[in-house]
């Protein structure tokens, strides 16, 4: 079935907006679709697929678009649409465009230089090449440029993984158990699950397996006091609450009221009542100081470059810069320092990112240990064994899509010494913090 000629114009218009990189690509697409309600579901799907394909392959497409006639933006748009639906499905091509497009699409991309074939910004390719070597870096880049599968987490408060697999099969949706997370499911195709009863009643949540493993590293237990320090929309918060069997007290801190608002309907579905969302002004908010030295476990899923999530968010690699990463490093160190104050003697602190850059990972950890002698690094290998997770790791958790079929994740686990340094006077109770959260 051929697409109407107008589809090229719509895709080009969206692409112009996306390539300004003023915000996430999914937000730009959503806004464009709202402004053009006559676009049908199939048309929206094709445009989105073409745009994400263009973002994944931007370096190669930009190089290819230097040939041909007409505007470079139209040429790069045609390449994206041709990859998404095939040349024969495109309506409105001139004879010259058709000939050019067929010739370009036949180019063997395996012979392109690594720096171009990686489809990464030059600065990022150089970092990965230096760290891993060209061959391994190219495997990583290829995986990052490949769309991710759909991962789900089973809410253990409501069902078992085996029962959910059986229920999904009746949909029919084929799901398989993930290898590392005991509650993870992987769906190789990407069906819409929002209308499934299992989703509506909170039995399943969308969550990458790597993110599930991070939550398990916290080791949250029944009756404990725990904090998800940068909770966002609360994917890990929900996993922690279920691990605590809906007991104890779980704080979900975030500076964004909008992000935390997205957690509330998910909480309602989940059946959790032990979660306390708290909007904070910054990492040193008074609401945090009142809990100093009281928490058993704290997870810091720090704001980061997001370069480990390129399978899902390919625009991130073009929006992020080295200067931006350096600014994040300052914020990451400050947030980790503040979160550490919450941990009581003998308690656990987990620092995590969805980044693959050393300066956001090991660099922050080494800086933290140098300035916090009251914390000790726990080898992740030991924690994984404790959680019965079959992963071979050393001191740190390092997950990569080309090795583990997850997003790129990093985590370090710390334990505070039993005899913690003298803390600031704390006169406020947990109930007062909870009251401010309401």
């Amino acid at each position: 079935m051929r697409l109407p000629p107008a589809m090229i114009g719509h895709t080009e218009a969206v692409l112009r907006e996306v390539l300004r990189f003023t915000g996430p690509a999914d937000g730009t697409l959503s806004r464009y679709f709202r402004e053009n309600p006559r676009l049908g579901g199939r048309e929206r799907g094709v445009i989105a697929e073409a745009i994400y394909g263009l973002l994944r392959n931007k370096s190669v497409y930009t190089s290819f678009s230097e040939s041909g006639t007409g505007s470079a933006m139209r040429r790069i748009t045609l390449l994206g649409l041709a990859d998404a639906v095939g040349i024969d499905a495109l309506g409105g091509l001139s004879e010259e465009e058709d000939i050019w497009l067929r010739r370009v699409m036949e180019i063997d991309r395996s012979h392109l230089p690594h720096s171009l074939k990686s489809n990464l910004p030059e600065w990022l390719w150089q970092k990965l090449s230096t760290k891993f070597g060209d061959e391994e870096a190219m495997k990583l880049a290829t995986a990052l440029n490949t769309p991710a599968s759909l991962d789900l987490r089973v809410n253990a408060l409501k069902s078992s993984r085996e029962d959910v697999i059986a229920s999904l099969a009746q949909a029919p949706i084929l799901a398989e158990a993930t290898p590392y997370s005991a509650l993870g499911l992987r769906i190789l195709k990407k069906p819409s699950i929002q209308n499934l009863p299992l989703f509506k009643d909170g039995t399943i949540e969308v969550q990458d397996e790597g993110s599930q493993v991070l939550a398990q590293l916290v080791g949250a237990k029944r009756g404990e006091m725990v904090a998800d320090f940068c909770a966002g929309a609360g994917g890990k918060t929900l996993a922690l609450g279920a691990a605590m069997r809906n007991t104890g007290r779980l704080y979900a801190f975030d500076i964004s009221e909008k992000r935390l608002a997205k957690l509330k309907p998910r909480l309602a579905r989940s059946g959790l009542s032990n979660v306390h969302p708290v909007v904070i002004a910054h990492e040193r908010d008074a609401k945090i100081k009142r809990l100093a030295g009281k928490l058993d476990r704290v997870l810091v899923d720090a704001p980061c470059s997001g370069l480990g999530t390129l399978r899902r968010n390919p625009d991130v690699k073009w929006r992020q810069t080295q200067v931006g990463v350096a600014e994040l490093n300052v914020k990451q160190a400050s947030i980790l320092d503040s979160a550490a104050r919450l941990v009581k003697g003998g308690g656990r602190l987990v620092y995590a990112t969805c980044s693959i850059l050393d300066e956001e990972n090991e660099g922050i950890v080494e800086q933290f240990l140098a300035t916090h002698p009251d914390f000790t690094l726990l080898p992740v290998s030991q924690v994984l064994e404790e959680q019965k997770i079959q992963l071979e790791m050393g001191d740190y958790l390092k997950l990569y899509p080309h090795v583990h079929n997850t997003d790129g994740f990093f985590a370090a686990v710390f334990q505070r010494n039993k005899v913690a340094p003298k803390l600031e006077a704390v006169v406020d109770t947990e109930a007062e913090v909870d009251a401010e959260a309401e």
Side-chain angles (χ1 to χ4, degrees), residues 219-238:
K221 298 176 181 176
R222 290 175 180 266
E224 291 186 328
M225 287 184 64
V226 180
D228 186 350
F229 201 78
C230 305
K236 297 180 187 68
T237 304
L238 298 174

Side-chain angles (χ1 to χ4, degrees), residues 16-256:
R16 287 183 185 279
E17 288 295 316
V18 168
L19 293 184
R20 291 191 174 99
F21 298 121
T22 55
D26 57 353
T28 302
L29 280 164
S30 296
R31 185 174 65 252
Y32 189 86
F33 294 152
R34 286 195 303 270
E35 293 170 353
N36 293 270
R38 291 187 179 181
L39 287 170
R42 179 173 181 266
E43 293 168 322
R44 291 195 298 270
V46 169
I47 291 172
E49 185 178 353
I51 294 298
Y52 278 97
L54 284 162
L55 291 168
R56 290 189 176 95
N57 299 284
K58 179 173 170 287
S59 295
V60 169
Y61 286 158
T62 300
S63 176
F64 287 175
S65 69
E66 291 174 359
S67 63
T69 59
S71 75
M73 190 65 68
R74 179 177 173 87
R75 293 197 299 272
I76 197 172
T77 300
L78 294 178
L79 287 166
L81 284 167
D83 249 3
V85 297
I87 299 172
D88 293 334
L90 299 182
L93 294 179
S94 67
E95 182 179 355
E96 189 174 18
E97 285 176 329
D98 186 87
I99 294 170
W100 170 79
L101 199 52
R102 292 182 188 280
R103 185 179 72 249
V104 170
M105 296 302 287
E106 289 175 356
I107 294 175
D108 184 353
R109 302 183 193 183
S110 65
H111 297 302
L112 296 173
H114 286 326
S115 57
L116 183 60
K117 190 167 56 175
S118 71
N119 279 292
L120 297 174
E122 181 64 24
W123 70 269
L124 180 55
W125 167 252
Q126 289 301 327
K127 280 182 179 292
L128 297 184
S129 177
T130 299
K131 179 178 180 178
F132 296 104
D134 281 0
E135 185 177 348
E136 188 72 8
M138 185 53 62
K139 290 179 181 177
L140 173 55
T142 300
L144 288 170
N145 289 325
T146 302
S149 56
L150 176 64
D151 287 1
L152 306 175
R153 179 183 58 81
V154 176
N155 183 350
L157 298 179
K158 297 202 170 190
S159 189
S160 68
R161 182 159 67 173
E162 292 71 24
D163 287 346
V164 170
I165 289 175
S167 296
L168 287 172
Q170 296 175 7
I173 296 173
L174 184 63
E176 61 183 33
T178 53
Y180 311 124
S181 169
L183 295 171
L185 292 174
R186 180 156 293 143
I187 299 175
L188 300 182
K189 294 184 178 179
K190 289 193 176 181
S192 176
I193 66 166
Q194 281 75 12
N195 294 321
L196 291 177
L198 287 171
F199 182 81
K200 289 182 175 181
D201 69 9
T203 301
I204 56 174
E205 278 284 344
V206 175
Q207 187 177 22
D208 184 82
E209 185 186 19
S211 178
Q212 296 179 44
V213 170
L214 289 186
Q216 286 182 260
L217 293 181
V218 179
K221 298 176 181 176
R222 290 175 180 266
E224 291 186 328
M225 287 184 64
V226 180
D228 186 350
F229 201 78
C230 305
K236 297 180 187 68
T237 304
L238 298 174
L240 293 171
M244 297 166 71
R245 305 302 298 179
N246 204 20
T247 64
R249 191 187 302 267
L250 173 56
Y251 291 102
F253 292 116
D254 204 276
I255 60 171
S256 171

Side-chain angles (χ1 to χ4, degrees), residues 52-53 55-57 117-121 124-125 128 132 136-148 306-318 354-357 399-403 405-409:
Y52 278 97
L55 291 168
R56 290 189 176 95
N57 299 284
K117 190 167 56 175
S118 71
N119 279 292
L120 297 174
L124 180 55
W125 167 252
L128 297 184
F132 296 104
E136 188 72 8
M138 185 53 62
K139 290 179 181 177
L140 173 55
T142 300
L144 288 170
N145 289 325
T146 302
L307 292 170
T309 69
L310 298 184
R311 302 188 305 166
R312 306 174 196 280
N313 308 297
D315 56 312
V316 167
K317 62 187 174 184
W318 307 115
C354 51
S355 174
I356 51 177
L357 299 181
L399 297 176
Y400 298 108
H402 69 302
V403 178
N405 201 19
T406 66
D407 285 345
F409 283 106

